Amino acid sequence: MTTKLWNSDRGYDSTLIAFDESLKRLDMEYVDLYLIHWPAQGEAGEELNAQTWRAFETIYKEGRAKAIGVSNFMDHHLDKLSQCAEIMPMVNQIEYHPGYMQPETVAYCKEMGILVEAWSPLGSGKVLNNAQLEYIAGKYGKSVAQVCIRWCLQNEILPLPKSVTPERIRQNMAVYDFTLSEDDMATINHLSYIGGSGLHPDTVNF
């Protein structure tokens, strides 16, 4: 069970209040993972991120979140947070898919032992309709979505695909009976920008 802190609730006291309200709505005594949804911006934002993270550490120490992390934090956001954090984020959930890999952030997370979780691992329709990905998928008798998920796993990224269709959910799980070759991994790793959301953590402010 994962839930996130919305931007308007950032800050020490407001985070604690928002978390209590989330538990009430979920009718749970704890969550498995609690995430800051987006980093706050600028010098004032750095202090706000620090206060918010201090509340996360309190929640974790109380055992009411089994793991704590962030979402959409780039390497420079994480570096600033590391200067005041007692406990580093355990997870960073970022946009990650073929054509948009955020290599600097991923490298920082791996160096610091932070698990990278990919939101939108299938990108947009432009990813699913990409000719190179369609060709690779055909070689393995798989869908492009399955190739994207398998590619994430082989890059040591935890994919978080979303679907409400039972058959697609089953397909998204059927990715352990094939392995992408080194050449195919390299081809996907070097795809030009496609299928991004257009949301950038340094400019999102809602």
Side-chain angles (χ1 to χ4, degrees):
M1 176 64 70
T2 301
T3 191
K4 294 181 178 179
L5 176 77
W6 189 240
N7 294 354
S8 58
D9 293 320
R10 290 178 297 210
Y12 185 81
D13 291 332
S14 54
T15 294
L16 296 178
I17 292 170
F19 182 73
D20 286 340
E21 292 176 349
S22 292
L23 287 186
K24 289 178 183 178
R25 288 194 297 270
L26 293 168
D27 192 25
M28 296 186 68
E29 295 182 356
Y30 71 92
V31 295
D32 296 297
L33 176 63
Y34 194 40
L35 301 174
I36 299 176
H37 201 162
W38 291 92
Q41 307 303 326
E43 291 185 10
E46 291 174 9
E47 178 59 27
L48 186 57
N49 290 333
Q51 292 175 8
T52 302
W53 188 249
R54 188 161 58 89
F56 270 60
E57 291 175 333
T58 296
I59 291 166
Y60 175 74
K61 290 176 182 178
E62 292 173 346
R64 299 195 296 153
K66 301 304 180 183
I68 50 176
V70 295
S71 183
N72 302 300
F73 274 54
M74 300 178 74
D75 51 310
H76 58 272
H77 301 122
L78 291 166
D79 191 55
K80 287 291 184 181
L81 194 62
S82 72
Q83 297 172 25
C84 62
E86 181 181 344
I87 303 168
M88 281 297 287
M90 300 162 187
V91 175
N92 186 16
Q93 188 185 98
I94 63 172
E95 181 177 4
Y96 182 95
H97 52 75
Y100 191 71
M101 296 180 63
Q102 302 200 60
E104 294 84 3
T105 296
V106 170
Y108 183 95
C109 288
K110 289 186 175 182
E111 180 181 351
M112 298 298 291
I114 301 169
L115 175 67
V116 177
E117 187 175 55
W119 66 261
S120 191
L122 309 183
S124 68
K126 291 183 179 179
V127 171
L128 297 179
N129 296 325
N130 178 268
Q132 287 178 286
L133 290 173
E134 289 179 333
Y135 172 74
I136 292 172
K139 289 168 57 178
Y140 297 91
K142 295 291 184 178
S143 69
V144 172
Q146 288 170 315
V147 166
C148 290
I149 293 169
R150 183 67 201 180
W151 168 80
C152 282
L153 292 171
Q154 288 183 221
N155 276 334
E156 300 181 334
I157 306 295
L158 179 64
L160 188 65
K162 292 194 297 185
S163 179
V164 297
T165 307
E167 178 56 29
R168 288 182 179 174
I169 293 172
R170 284 190 289 269
Q171 287 181 1
N172 289 344
M173 295 175 65
V175 295
Y176 296 99
D177 58 349
F178 74 108
T179 300
L180 295 168
S181 70
E182 291 185 8
D183 287 345
D184 288 333
M185 287 293 295
T187 296
I188 300 172
N189 286 341
H190 290 92
L191 287 175
S192 300
Y193 177 83
I194 50 172
S197 68
L199 299 173
H200 194 284
D202 280 336
T203 58
V204 167
N205 193 20
F206 53 74

